[in-house]
Amino acid sequence: MDLLADHITHYRRDAEEFDYFEEPSPLNRDASRRIRQAVMREARLPNSGLVLDAGSGNGWLTEALHGTECLVVSVDLGLRNLERIRRERPDALCVCADLYRLPFRNASFDRVVCSEVLEHANDPEAVVAACAAVLKPGGRLTVSTPY
């Protein structure tokens, strides 16, 4: 089986073999900090509401919004990533799902953040369309890529 063609198998295996929670090198730490700051600034997160972290990886958005009135739903194909987020934040809402077929009603999220994910998608436009579909009218979709 071609793992690049089968994105679900590929990213589930990726989450098992790559440690998204590993402490980055000083250079990567600074780049990650700057990306996260930019995403937070551009997302213009409300004081409360439902936020979808599409492709949550290590769950940095859940951590960043902990203690606010925002309710973050972390979605990732990597069950290992989601289990780790739940260990660190037992109250975290985590859903193992494919971003191409999000298991949520249309127009259900106030904000959707898809940070450093699209470059991994075989069909980035389809991921953006799925994320936009679950966004409430007037909501905000924030996307970042390293490229």
Side-chain angles (χ1 to χ4, degrees), residues 29-40:
R29 188 175 327 125
D30 183 57
S32 292
R33 179 188 56 76
R34 286 184 284 117
I35 290 167
R36 291 172 183 178
Q37 285 176 339
V39 167
M40 294 292 285

Side-chain angles (χ1 to χ4, degrees), residues 3 6-20 75-83 95-99 101:
L3 286 180
D6 178 10
H7 68 280
I8 294 174
T9 301
H10 174 83
Y11 286 105
R12 285 190 174 151
R13 183 171 293 169
D14 178 74
E16 292 171 6
E17 295 182 13
F18 181 77
D19 187 356
Y20 284 87
V75 173
D76 204 282
L77 272 174
L79 188 57
R80 181 176 172 209
N81 293 340
L82 297 170
E83 288 170 343
V95 177
C96 190
D98 183 357
L99 295 183
R101 292 177 286 284

Side-chain angles (χ1 to χ4, degrees), residues 37-60:
Q37 285 176 339
V39 167
M40 294 292 285
R41 182 179 59 247
E42 293 303 316
R44 296 184 191 146
L45 295 163
N47 293 330
S48 63
L50 195 56
V51 178
L52 175 63
D53 186 5
S56 59
N58 66 12
W60 70 266

